[in-house]
Amino acid sequence: MLAVFVNCGTVILGSIIGLLVSKKFTEELSDMIQTACGVITVVLGLQMAFKFQSIIFLAISLILGAIVGYLIDIDKGILNLGGWLEKKFKMNKNTEVQNGELPAKSNKNFAYAFLNSSVLFCVGAMSIVGSFEAGVQGNYTTIFTKSILDGFMAVSFAAAMGIGTAFSIIIILIYQGGLTLLSSFIAPYVSETLITEVSACGGAIIIMIGINLLGFKKIKTANFLPALVFQVLFVIFLGAKMQELGL
């Protein structure tokens, strides 16, 4: 769990730096930084997504994941959690989450930052691989590398969207900490193909975050998270068959 705590520490440090420098920004500069974050996020997502080996797995997983996510409304749950944390810690209340929706012109607020940061920091391949290496082999290299990258992203996200970025450590603790603790049980089922496909799916979701940050379309990114589960199931139960068919 040491590596997970280090990862959380770099996110907090990056968020603090981002908040400190953001105080000197004009609204125009803040918008430009958010645009830069959006572009960087899209590039990162594309880099991950194009590593897919089966476009069929990716397409079906995203569609089924969207349906399940819509029925559960994960996005609303995370936003409401962010809103609750904002009130609990008496952060600014210039925005309110109502019926799982944020009001227009609300990019720089606690819940929005919490949601996007939580998804971004947890859906990549480094989260999965690093957690397994830390839990099974005691190798912290991958998570430490991820921690540095997350720290720099936290600077940008906190500067653009606010202090909710720092509170994404709650999701990091739950997600990466859970994977690390369960790694010895899950490891036998993890293959290079599985990591690649899950990473590709995570990349597609990260692209959606970038689209949101750029203001092109409002996508409930968290509602697509079940797609990662479908990717895992497809690879484990259908991967060998799909390879035989060349799909």
Side-chain angles (χ1 to χ4, degrees):
M1 290 291 288
L2 171 64
V4 179
F5 293 133
V6 170
N7 198 168
C8 292
T10 59
V11 170
I12 292 175
L13 178 60
S15 298
I16 292 173
I17 295 173
L19 291 170
L20 290 175
V21 299
S22 70
K23 293 179 180 179
K24 299 181 180 180
F25 293 165
T26 62
E27 183 176 349
E28 181 181 3
L29 182 55
S30 295
D31 289 340
M32 291 176 66
I33 291 174
Q34 178 158 316
T35 299
C37 288
V39 172
I40 293 169
T41 305
V42 169
V43 171
L44 176 63
L46 287 171
Q47 185 182 44
M48 292 170 56
F50 279 122
K51 292 180 180 179
F52 69 84
Q53 295 181 6
S54 172
I55 188 62
I56 295 177
F57 283 172
L58 180 59
I60 297 177
S61 293
L62 285 173
I63 293 170
L64 293 179
I67 294 172
V68 172
Y70 169 79
L71 294 175
I72 302 175
D73 207 348
I74 300 171
D75 200 274
K76 177 181 177 181
I78 296 178
L79 280 175
N80 285 338
L81 174 58
W84 178 83
L85 288 169
E86 182 177 17
K87 293 178 181 178
K88 185 72 174 177
F89 290 90
K90 296 180 172 58
M91 302 298 171
N92 68 77
K93 298 180 178 61
N94 57 352
T95 56
E96 291 289 337
V97 179
Q98 298 179 350
N99 298 321
E101 298 285 346
L102 292 171
K105 293 289 183 181
S106 63
N107 283 356
K108 193 163 186 176
N109 70 80
F110 192 100
Y112 186 85
F114 176 72
L115 169 66
N116 285 291
S117 301
S118 296
V119 175
L120 177 67
F121 294 147
C122 291
V123 299
M126 294 183 80
S127 295
I128 303 170
V129 175
S131 297
F132 286 133
E133 287 180 346
V136 177
Q137 303 171 1
N139 181 359
Y140 301 141
T141 304
T142 301
I143 286 293
F144 285 162
T145 303
K146 175 183 180 294
S147 299
I148 295 172
L149 297 175
D150 287 353
F152 282 108
M153 287 301 295
V155 173
S156 301
F157 268 50
M161 295 184 291
I163 195 171
T165 303
F167 282 78
S168 63
I169 65 169
I170 296 172
I171 306 300
I172 294 175
L173 278 171
I174 295 172
Y175 177 73
Q176 284 186 190
L179 283 178
T180 301
L181 293 174
L182 294 172
S183 58
S184 58
F185 300 99
I186 304 174
Y189 303 99
V190 178
S191 63
E192 184 176 343
T193 299
L194 177 63
I195 292 173
T196 299
E197 296 298 337
V198 172
S199 177
C201 188
I205 297 173
I206 288 177
I207 292 171
M208 297 177 195
I209 296 175
I211 291 173
N212 279 341
L213 292 174
L214 292 171
F216 292 151
K217 181 179 175 64
K218 187 175 182 180
I219 304 173
K220 294 186 174 183
T221 53
N223 282 352
F224 286 84
L225 291 176
L228 299 172
V229 178
F230 283 109
Q231 278 285 68
V232 171
L233 295 176
F234 285 152
V235 172
I236 290 177
F237 295 106
L238 299 175
K241 187 65 176 178
M242 294 291 285
Q243 287 182 348
E244 289 178 9
L245 297 175
L247 300 175

